[in-house]
Amino acid sequence: MQVSFIVPLYNQLALTRACLGSLRATVPADLAHEIILVDDGSTDDTREFLRDLAPPHVVLLNDRNRGYAASNNRAARVAQGEFLALLNNDLVLAPGWLEPMLAAFRRVPRAGVVGNLQRNATTGALDHAGVVFRDGGYPAHYRDDPAEFAVDGLAEFPAVTAACCLVRREWFLRTGGFDEGYQNGFEDTDLCLRAREDGLLNLVATGSVVRHHISASEGRGTHEFRNARRFLARWGPRTAALEREWILAMAQDRAAAAAREYFRPWHRRLGLGRPALRRAHRLALAAQRRRLAARSGRLRVGIDLLALQAGGANGGIKPFVLGLLAEVGRQRGGEFNFAVFVPAGLRDEVAAILRPGDYCLTPADGIFSVSRRTATGWKPDGTLPAGDPLPARAGLDVLYAPFGRSDLMRPGLPTVSVIVDLLHRDLPAALPVEEVNHRHAWFGQLARDATYFQCNSHHVAARLVTHYPVHPARCFLAYNAVQGRLPAPGALPAGAPEESFFFYPANFWPHKNHETLFVAYRLYALGAASRAWPLVCTGHPDGRMDLLRELRDGLGLKDRIVFLGHVKDDAFAALWSKAGALVFPSLHEGFGMPLLEAMRFGVPVIAADSTALPEVAGDACLAVDARDPRALAEAMRKVAIRTDLKEALVARGHARLAAFSLELEAGRLAHFLAAAARRVTP
Amino acid sequence: MIIGLDVSQTCAERAGCAWYADGLSRALIAAGLPRGHAFELYHHFGGWINADTRGGTLIDDPRVSAPLRGLAPDKAREFWREVESGEPLPAKPDVVLSFNFHAPRLPHSRLVYTVHDLAFWMHPAFATDETHLVCQREVLQALARAAGFLFNSQHTRDELELLFPSWLRLTGRPSLVAHGASRFPAPGAPPTPGPAAPWLVVGSLEPRKNHAAALDAYELYHAHSSVRRPLVVAGGAGWKSDAIRARLSALQGRGLTVHTPGYVPDAELAGLYASSFALVCPSWHEGFGLPLVEALTAGLPVLSSDRASLPEVGGDAPVYFAPDQPAALAEAMLALERDPAAHARRAAASLARGGAFSWAATAKSVLEFVERL
C-alpha cells in the first residue's frame, strides 16, 4: 500500500461528500491506496453516509468527540500505507495535486511533512503557501507565492498546515503522532517542529494546488488561548528566534526599510504594514534559502571523549554515544567531520566512528592538556589557559560533550552537551558529597554556557529544567536506542550458570540498589527452594563489587549469586540469550539501556517504577517499588513460574522496541549539531 | 574485658537512636565498672562522622576513655579508614557495640550490632533515600560482620525474621531484645492534670510519625469537646514536613490552640510529660517508641497506634487505635476527657507499665549477653 488518505469528520456532510468526490476523481489510477474516514462523533447524517461505504474506504467511529489529533492518530495506527495523506474534509482537490507531493519524498530523502498551496474555495485567493512565525513566535500562514524562492517546485518552510499534507507513516507513529494535548489547533505546527528536531525538512510542493473552504471546520477558535499557551510553552523561544532570524536576514537583504516600517508601533496601530510584512517575509525566506545553499562547507564537530575509560567503567553512556555518533556519520557523513579527543591508549575504542576526513587526538599529541579523574570526581589538572586557541586551531564549528561537561568549551564555540541524569540533585545520597558539589557546580556552568542539551529521556529533560535555569527549548531528546549494538552471542563467560537465571547488568554504584535486590533474592530463593534461578550480576569490578561479594556471603548466597565482572560484548550477548529475566531495581536511571536489550533478546523485564524507567518500559515491564524487598521478591517469583506472564512481557517488549530507533535519535542529534554550528534556530 | 561503645549519634541533635545509645551506654558503664570492665566511647563511629563532638555522651572515670572525642572530621574519617583496612582500635576492645546503624569491619574485635528498625525496607515510603541507601548497606554489612545482635524490641527482631527468614537460626548468631527506657525518673504517683492540660504529641515531623492523623483527630475533638484542651506538637522539622507544617499553621490561623515548640530540650520535655493530659502516638511504624515509654514512666495516659512495636511496649496501658482511623482517635480523646475515673485508671496503668522498663535492667542483660559472646 502506497498511500493512506486520512480524513477526520465532524458534521458538514455536504463538504465531506464534495471532498471525497474530488479525492476519488483525482487519485492516480495506479496508486495502491485506502481512504480512512474517522467520524469524530458527528450529530448530522454523516454516520448514515459512512455506513454505505465500501473498500478502499475504511471507516472508524469514535465513541464520542475526541478531537482532531486523536482522530488522526487512531487512523494512523490502523493505516497500511507507506505515506499518510492527512486531509481536512473541506478540501476540493484538483487533478495532479498528489503527484508533486509524493515526488518530494523521492527527491528529498529527509523530507518530513510535505504540504502544498491552498486557495480559498470561494475567492480563489492564496491562503497557504507554508507556515512562518510572527508576533513573537506565533504561527501564521504565509500567503504569497513562494515561487521565487522555490527550487524545482519545492520550498522549505519551518512548518506547513496539515489541512492537506503528506508524511511517512513510520515516522508519524514513531514520533507519537499529533499531540493530543492540543484541541483543534496547533497540532500541525507542533508536528512540523518535531520533524525539524528529527533532522527532517518541511516542504511545500508548489506544483500542488488545492482549494478549501476556510474555517469550515468547527471548534477551531474555541480553544485558541489554551492551545497557544501549550504551543508557546514548548516552542516559543525557538519560534520567536526563527522569526528574529528572518528579521535579521531581512535587514541584510535591503528589506530593512520595510521591516522598520512594519515594526513601528504607530503603523501597527493604524493597521498598516501587512503588505510590507509579507514582502519582508518573502525576502527573508529567500535570503535564508540562499544562506543555507551557501553553506556547502562541511562542519567540523569536536567530540570530547576525554572522560572515556577502558572497559565498562563509564556505564551505559559509552556504547550509546559511540553507537549514536557512528549513526550520525553514516547518515550525514557528507555534512560533518569529527575531531575526536580521547585519552591516550583509547584510540582503538573510537575507531568505529571515524570516517575519511575525521581525526582523533590524544593528550600525547601535545596540543592540549586534560583533566584527570581523581578519587572524588573530575578535577581540572592544568586545563587549557583561558583563550587557548585550540578550538580555532582544530577548526571546530561545534563541540559535542557526551560526558556533559568539557574542558574544551570556549566562549563563542557552540556546544551540545549530553545530560544522562540528575542523580546529584535527585538522589544525592548515592554520591560522595564532594562529587555532588562538583557536579552541581559544572551543571550550573553548563546551564549558562552550553547551547543545547541532549537529554536521555523526557524525565531527564524535566529534571534538568526543574533544577537549573534551562528553558525546555534548549533541550532535545535522544533515547539510548542502541539495542541493536551487540554482536551475535558468543560463548558464555566462565562462571555463568547453565540454567535460566535472573540477570542484573549494572555497575556497582550505590543507586543501583544491589542490597535490596539481594534481600529480595534471598526471599525468592527460600520460597522457590531447589527450583530457584540463580542471579547473575555483571559490571565493572571495583571496591564496591568486593563489598557486595562480602554481603552476599553474609547472606549465605555464595552459590546462588554470581559476579562476572565486565564481560565482552559477545559474551554479554550470550548472557542475554540465556537469561530468564532482567531484574532492574535501580533507584535512579536517566534511561536504562538494559531494558531495551532485554526486549531485543526476548527476555522479560522486572524494573523499578520510578525515574525514567516507566517511560522506557511502557507496558512491557513488571514494575515494582524497588525499595521494597518483599515486592521485588514477589515479582521475581511470578516471572520465574508464570509462563503466560513471561510471554506477555516478551511480546509487549518486542512491540515496545518500535519506539526506539537509533536512526531517528541520530537524525535529531545531527540536526541540533548543525543548528548550533550554523547558529540557526533548530 | 574492654567494651567499645558507639556514642556518635549523641553528638548531634538527639533523636530516638541517640537517646538509646546514651541511656544504654551510661547504664552499661554503671553496671560494668564494678564487674571490672573498662570502656571506650567512640564519638565518631564507622561512616558516622560528627562535625563537633562536644555535645556527646561523656563519663568521667579513669576506666572510661574517649579516644576520638575532639577529633576533626577529616582525621576521624582517616581513622576509620585505617580501622577498616585492618588497623586495630586503640586499647583493642574485646567487644564493640554499634548503635548508629553502621557496621564497620573490625577484625580485631567482636561487633555487636543494634537493629533499631527495618522500616526502610518494610515501609520504604517512610524512609528518605539517604536512610535507605545507608541503612541497607550497613545492615547487610552487619549480617556479614557482627558477632551478635541487639534488637530494641521483639517486633524489630520479627521484622528481621520476615526479611531474612531463618537467618539468625541458620547462622547461629546470638541476639537479644534490649528494650529502651525513659531518661526521666518516674514520679511516685501519676500527676493530676490541670483544667487546661494539653494533648501531647512527641516526635520529629516526618510522614512515618503520622501527625496528619493526630491533627485530623484533634480537629474532630475540638469540634465536639466542651473543654477544648490545647494540642502541643513537640519535635523538630524532619523529612517531608512541609505539608504538615502548613497544616499546623492553618489550624493556628483558624484560632485552634496548637503549640509547636519545635525540638524540645530535656528539662522542658520532662515538664511536658508531667503536665499534659495524655500522649497521642499515631505512628505508622516504630522500632521501639521512646516517647511512649517516657510517657508511661511519667504516669501519663497514652492513646497509641496499634502498629509495629507500640503494643509490645505499651502492653495493656494505652488506648489503642488504628493509625488510619483518626475518627476513632477523636472518639478515644473525647471519651478519656469525659471520664476522669478512666483517665486516672489509665494513668495508674501507665505508671505500672513504665516500671517494666529500666536502663539498669536492660544493661544487666546486655552485659551478660556480651560476656557470653
Side-chain angles (χ1 to χ4, degrees):
Chain A
M1 180 92 56
Q2 286 167 276
V3 178
S4 299
F5 297 94
I6 295 177
V7 193
L9 308 173
Y10 180 63
N11 295 337
Q12 316 271 16
L13 179 57
L15 289 174
T16 303
R17 283 177 192 276
C19 172
L20 285 178
S22 69
L23 174 59
R24 288 188 212 109
T26 57
V27 170
D30 57 345
L31 186 83
H33 70 279
E34 61 184 345
I35 301 171
I36 305 177
L37 301 159
V38 193
D39 183 65
D40 200 17
S42 290
T43 51
D44 62 359
D45 298 335
T46 297
R47 295 219 165 187
E48 236 158 87
F49 165 75
L50 293 175
R51 208 174 298 146
D52 303 328
L53 293 178
H57 299 92
V58 177
V59 174
L60 303 175
L61 303 176
N62 286 346
D63 52 348
R64 58 182 170 82
N65 190 281
R66 292 184 178 274
Y68 174 79
S71 298
N72 276 293
N73 290 346
R74 183 176 173 201
R77 283 193 292 270
V78 304
Q80 309 272 322
E82 181 189 355
F83 295 99
L84 305 177
L86 308 178
L87 307 175
N88 282 5
N89 69 335
D90 56 1
L91 287 168
V92 183
L93 302 163
W97 71 274
L98 182 63
E99 292 83 345
M101 296 171 83
L102 276 171
F105 282 94
R106 277 200 305 277
R107 282 180 29 216
V108 183
R110 281 169 55 213
V113 186
V114 174
N116 57 7
L117 302 186
Q118 293 166 17
R119 294 189 177 278
N120 185 321
T122 319
T123 66
L126 189 60
D127 180 54
H128 170 269
V131 170
V132 294
F133 298 101
R134 65 167 181 242
D135 301 337
Y138 205 81
H141 282 198
Y142 184 76
R143 293 196 168 94
D144 277 352
D145 185 354
E148 68 179 74
F149 58 89
V151 177
D152 298 336
L154 291 177
E156 191 201 334
F157 273 86
V160 300
T161 177
C164 179
C165 74
L166 212 58
V167 295
R168 282 184 202 281
R169 178 172 59 95
E170 194 213 350
W171 174 77
F172 185 80
L173 288 176
R174 223 163 29 188
T175 193
F178 286 125
D179 179 351
E180 295 178 18
Y182 296 106
Q183 300 199 330
N184 301 336
F186 292 85
E187 298 94 341
D188 46 3
T189 314
D190 184 276
L191 182 79
C192 289
L193 290 169
R194 276 185 280 146
R196 280 173 67 90
E197 275 209 357
D198 289 348
L200 305 175
L201 303 173
N202 300 311
L203 302 169
V204 168
T206 54
S208 167
V209 186
V210 298
R211 291 185 302 139
H212 76 134
H213 298 273
I214 291 174
S215 287
S217 321
E218 297 180 12
R220 178 130 193 138
T222 328
H223 307 289
E224 185 77 4
F225 176 72
R226 253 191 52 197
N227 285 338
R229 216 168 47 172
R230 184 178 180 85
F231 177 84
L232 292 175
R234 174 159 184 192
W235 302 106
R238 220 178 273 167
T239 54
L242 281 169
E243 187 181 350
R244 275 198 304 278
E245 270 179 34
W246 290 324
I247 294 167
L248 263 166
M250 258 163 16
Q252 296 162 355
D253 225 284
R254 292 180 294 116
R260 275 200 302 276
E261 286 291 315
Y262 175 67
F263 287 103
R264 258 193 218 150
W266 63 84
H267 275 255
R268 294 181 85 167
R269 272 203 301 277
L270 292 170
L272 299 177
R274 286 287 156 189
L277 172 75
R278 285 214 300 278
R279 179 177 150 67
H281 266 136
R282 191 170 70 240
L283 291 168
L285 282 166
Q288 198 198 22
R289 229 212 113 73
R290 280 197 299 278
R291 276 192 303 147
L292 285 168
R295 291 185 204 118
S296 54
R298 288 172 162 239
L299 294 173
R300 178 66 72 180
V301 184
I303 298 170
D304 181 353
L305 290 174
L306 291 168
L308 201 69
Q309 298 177 63
N314 291 121
I317 182 71
K318 179 170 156 182
F320 168 52
V321 162
L322 295 182
L324 190 68
L325 287 170
E327 178 63 21
V328 168
R330 200 187 63 71
Q331 279 181 21
R332 307 272 288 270
E335 194 178 340
F336 297 116
N337 276 133
F338 295 157
V340 185
F341 301 87
V342 290
L346 293 183
R347 275 179 202 265
D348 291 348
E349 302 249 8
V350 303
I353 64 167
L354 297 178
R355 299 165 64 89
D358 295 352
Y359 58 81
C360 180
L361 294 171
T362 71
D365 295 320
I367 66 160
F368 63 99
S369 36
V370 283
S371 60
R372 71 185 159 82
R373 197 168 171 81
T374 65
T376 54
W378 287 97
K379 286 279 164 59
D381 171 28
T383 46
L384 291 163
D388 180 279
L390 168 73
R393 233 189 298 164
L396 300 187
D397 295 304
V398 58
L399 179 68
Y400 182 53
F403 292 95
R405 73 179 293 267
S406 169
D407 286 336
L408 304 178
M409 280 177 77
R410 291 291 174 283
L413 176 61
T415 301
V416 175
S417 189
V418 179
I419 304 298
V420 296
D421 62 45
L422 280 98
L423 183 66
H424 68 292
R425 297 303 303 273
D426 284 338
L427 191 61
L431 293 168
V433 65
E434 302 85 347
E435 180 69 17
V436 171
N437 293 339
H438 180 63
R439 288 193 194 185
H440 186 51
W442 66 252
F443 264 82
Q445 277 170 23
L446 283 183
R448 199 185 59 215
D449 296 337
T451 317
Y452 298 117
F453 296 95
Q454 173 188 323
C455 298
N456 255 2
S457 58
H458 288 296
H459 173 79
V460 168
R463 302 313 294 161
L464 178 64
V465 168
T466 303
H467 289 306
Y468 294 94
V470 170
H471 192 278
R474 286 168 71 198
C475 302
F476 67 99
L477 177 71
Y479 280 139
N480 295 187
V482 286
Q483 64 271 21
R485 74 185 173 96
L486 291 175
L492 276 174
E498 291 297 326
E499 74 263 46
S500 272
F501 53 85
F502 286 107
F503 191 25
Y504 189 25
N507 279 350
F508 303 102
W509 297 321
H511 69 273
K512 297 288 185 177
N513 200 25
H514 284 84
E515 286 90 339
T516 292
L517 175 60
F518 289 2
V519 179
Y521 179 76
R522 189 175 182 276
L523 284 168
Y524 155 76
L526 284 178
S530 62
R531 285 164 301 138
W533 293 354
L535 170 64
V536 172
C537 298
T538 57
H540 179 69
D542 58 6
R544 229 184 95 80
M545 184 176 95
D546 298 336
L547 172 69
L548 289 169
R549 268 213 181 97
E550 182 192 353
L551 304 187
R552 169 198 68 178
D553 297 352
L555 289 171
L557 296 170
K558 195 168 185 146
D559 308 330
R560 306 303 295 157
I561 301 181
V562 184
F563 290 90
L564 296 178
H566 177 70
V567 297
K568 292 255 187 309
D569 282 354
D570 62 331
F572 193 52
L575 285 170
W576 275 121
S577 66
K578 289 272 182 203
L582 168 69
V583 54
F584 205 76
S586 174
L587 297 175
H588 189 94
E589 289 296 318
F591 187 77
M593 264 171 42
L595 267 59
L596 296 194
E597 285 169 343
M599 293 171 192
R600 139 115 164 71
F601 281 91
V603 173
V605 176
I606 300 168
D609 61 359
S610 65
T611 63
L613 293 173
E615 181 184 338
V616 174
D619 63 349
C621 156
L622 194 57
V624 292
D625 181 346
R627 302 169 301 174
D628 180 345
R630 291 179 295 173
L632 195 52
E634 175 58 15
M636 292 166 86
R637 187 186 71 78
K638 278 204 282 204
V639 168
I641 61 169
R642 275 186 47 194
T643 321
D644 58 330
L645 175 65
K646 202 172 149 170
E647 281 167 4
L649 288 172
V650 170
R652 283 184 231 144
H654 185 76
R656 181 84 194 139
L657 280 181
F660 300 95
S661 139
L662 190 61
E663 195 189 347
L664 194 66
E665 313 304 329
R668 212 175 285 132
L669 170 59
H671 177 70
F672 276 84
L673 285 173
R678 292 178 167 144
R679 294 169 169 80
V680 297
T681 306
Chain B
M1 80 204 284
I2 300 176
I3 300 174
L5 298 170
D6 153 31
V7 292
S8 57
Q9 280 181 307
T10 65
C11 301
E13 189 172 276
R14 295 181 181 187
C17 300
W19 286 116
Y20 189 93
D22 176 81
L24 186 51
S25 295
R26 288 176 186 283
L28 280 172
I29 291 167
L33 290 178
R35 293 160 80 141
H37 300 312
F39 292 88
E40 299 271 297
L41 298 179
Y42 303 118
H43 289 78
H44 307 278
F45 190 80
W48 187 294
I49 304 297
N50 289 303
D52 183 353
T53 57
R54 278 172 297 184
T57 300
L58 200 59
I59 306 290
D60 188 17
D61 188 283
R63 281 174 299 158
V64 180
S65 62
L68 306 186
R69 190 165 184 272
L71 204 61
D74 53 333
K75 294 270 188 284
R77 237 173 250 120
E78 179 69 32
F79 173 89
W80 280 103
R81 255 201 300 277
E82 282 173 11
V83 170
E84 290 257 355
S85 54
E87 196 70 19
L89 286 164
K92 296 193 177 144
D94 303 277
V95 178
V96 173
L97 275 66
S98 159
F99 297 122
N100 72 356
F101 267 105
H102 284 259
R105 189 181 288 121
L106 300 173
H108 306 280
S109 309
R110 271 156 296 166
L111 176 68
V112 172
Y113 186 80
T114 308
V115 186
H116 291 281
D117 70 75
L118 297 166
F120 60 94
W121 273 327
M122 300 295 292
H123 304 283
F126 294 144
T128 62
D129 293 329
E130 182 174 12
T131 303
H132 188 87
L133 285 171
V134 172
C135 290
Q136 69 172 7
R137 182 188 69 223
E138 298 292 335
V139 168
L140 292 193
Q141 283 181 188
L143 296 191
R145 297 169 181 178
F149 291 85
L150 299 182
F151 294 96
N152 57 350
S153 64
Q154 179 59 40
H155 180 265
T156 300
R157 181 149 70 182
D158 294 344
E159 281 186 342
L160 187 94
E161 185 60 29
L162 259 177
L163 290 168
F164 302 90
S166 309
W167 186 89
L168 285 171
R169 184 176 57 76
L170 290 170
T171 57
R173 225 60 71 80
S175 70
L176 176 77
V177 171
H179 281 145
S182 176
R183 71 196 105 134
F184 308 116
T192 315
W199 301 97
L200 178 64
V201 177
V202 179
S204 57
L205 300 184
E206 59 168 270
R208 181 170 61 88
K209 300 282 185 183
N210 196 18
H211 284 87
L215 299 189
D216 286 347
Y218 182 69
E219 277 196 77
L220 281 171
Y221 156 84
H222 196 265
H224 293 96
S225 165
S226 51
V227 187
R228 295 189 172 177
R229 297 174 184 280
L231 176 69
V232 176
V233 178
W239 165 68
K240 270 196 189 171
S241 60
D242 291 356
I244 208 70
R245 275 187 293 175
R247 179 92 191 277
L248 283 166
S249 31
L251 288 182
Q252 286 161 342
R254 279 168 42 204
L256 276 69
T257 326
V258 180
H259 301 293
T260 49
Y263 181 84
V264 174
D266 260 24
E268 210 175 302
L269 186 60
L272 276 175
Y273 283 128
S275 63
S276 291
F277 185 71
L279 178 81
V280 175
C281 183
S283 290
W284 293 108
H285 190 276
E286 291 288 341
F288 177 67
L290 197 61
L292 172 55
V293 96
E294 286 169 348
L296 294 175
T297 307
L300 190 64
V302 177
L303 308 178
S304 171
S305 152
D306 59 2
R307 296 287 169 91
S309 62
L310 294 169
E312 176 188 340
V313 173
D316 294 335
V319 181
Y320 291 105
F321 60 91
D324 56 355
Q325 301 286 332
L329 171 56
E331 283 297 327
M333 291 166 79
L334 289 166
L336 194 68
E337 182 173 272
R338 285 183 194 129
D339 187 350
H343 184 275
R345 277 200 305 279
R346 289 286 173 190
S350 286
L351 198 59
R353 179 66 187 170
F357 299 90
S358 85
W359 280 122
T362 298
K364 183 165 172 292
S365 61
V366 170
L367 214 49
E368 284 163 5
F369 176 79
V370 164
E371 285 165 353
R372 275 199 309 273
L373 274 180

